[in-house]
Amino acid sequence: VQDAASGRDPASGGDEGSRRRWKEEICRILGEIQAPLSPLLLRLCHWLLPKLLTRLFLGVQLHRGQLEMVLRASRTPEVPLVFLCSHRSQLDGLLLSFVLLSQGIGVPRVTVGARTSPRLRSLLQRLGGIFLPSGMAQTWSDRDEGLTGAVLDAYVQEVLRSRQPLVLFLEEPPASLRLAEPARRWLLRLLRALRDGAVPDVLLVPVGIAYDVAP
């Protein structure tokens, strides 16, 4: 991140004003990606979501044997879990977060699409949602992403190092059976973290989500 910041304005040197401006810009980018988790909102959502699910569905089915494998994998020291998921509805992130939290795996960081209102975005960030910084989710480009890309790289590396579960949705609902552009961005960060040795390995967990009738 320091290299990217200094590379954008090499003439500024290391003066105090320049460092302060870059710190403010880095904090702004980080604020677009995530926000501190809210324990109160998490407890409230954990209480409300089962009531919502029972009104929407007759039941939620999990494969017990596969869930036990995930629980065993979550106890692997120094290796984070990354869930690669199909995407059928906007409810998927909350549903998967509830399942992981209720099974003792922890609060995951869940990637959320860009088409979200500011208020809903702020709420989802407090519940563990993470977003691509503005301007990155619209188009795929091979150009250098500069400071924004460096901050996103560093953020993903820190999530993996802290062994927080990471949930990546590979599609945009309604699913079109092809990799969504935002998913490419997140997967690129994951590959870079492995290449740079941020973590020795990751455990990839494929997740299929299906509804009899999508909400």
Side-chain angles (χ1 to χ4, degrees), residues 41-54 57 59-62 64 67 71 83 90-110 124 127-129 165 167 169 207 209 211:
L41 280 176
L42 285 168
R43 286 196 294 268
L44 181 62
C45 186
H46 197 263
W47 177 75
L48 281 176
L49 196 57
K51 302 179 185 302
L52 173 65
L53 293 176
T54 55
F57 309 117
V60 177
Q61 297 181 349
L62 302 173
R64 178 60 59 182
L67 184 59
L71 290 172
F83 295 86
Q90 300 296 346
L91 194 64
D92 294 348
L94 287 174
L95 179 62
L96 193 54
S97 295
F98 170 73
V99 170
L100 297 179
L101 186 59
S102 64
Q103 296 299 316
I105 294 176
V107 180
R109 289 292 184 173
V110 182
L124 292 177
L127 293 172
V167 175
F169 287 109
V207 179
I209 301 175
Y211 301 92

Side-chain angles (χ1 to χ4, degrees), residues 158-189:
E158 287 303 313
V159 169
L160 295 175
R161 285 195 191 103
S162 62
R163 298 189 70 242
Q164 296 180 69
L166 181 60
V167 175
L168 304 182
F169 287 109
L170 303 180
E171 308 159 319
E172 288 290 338
S176 58
L177 297 180
R178 70 181 183 88
L179 191 63
E181 297 300 336
R184 293 177 186 270
R185 299 281 186 178
W186 291 111
L187 288 172
L188 177 61
R189 266 71 214 177

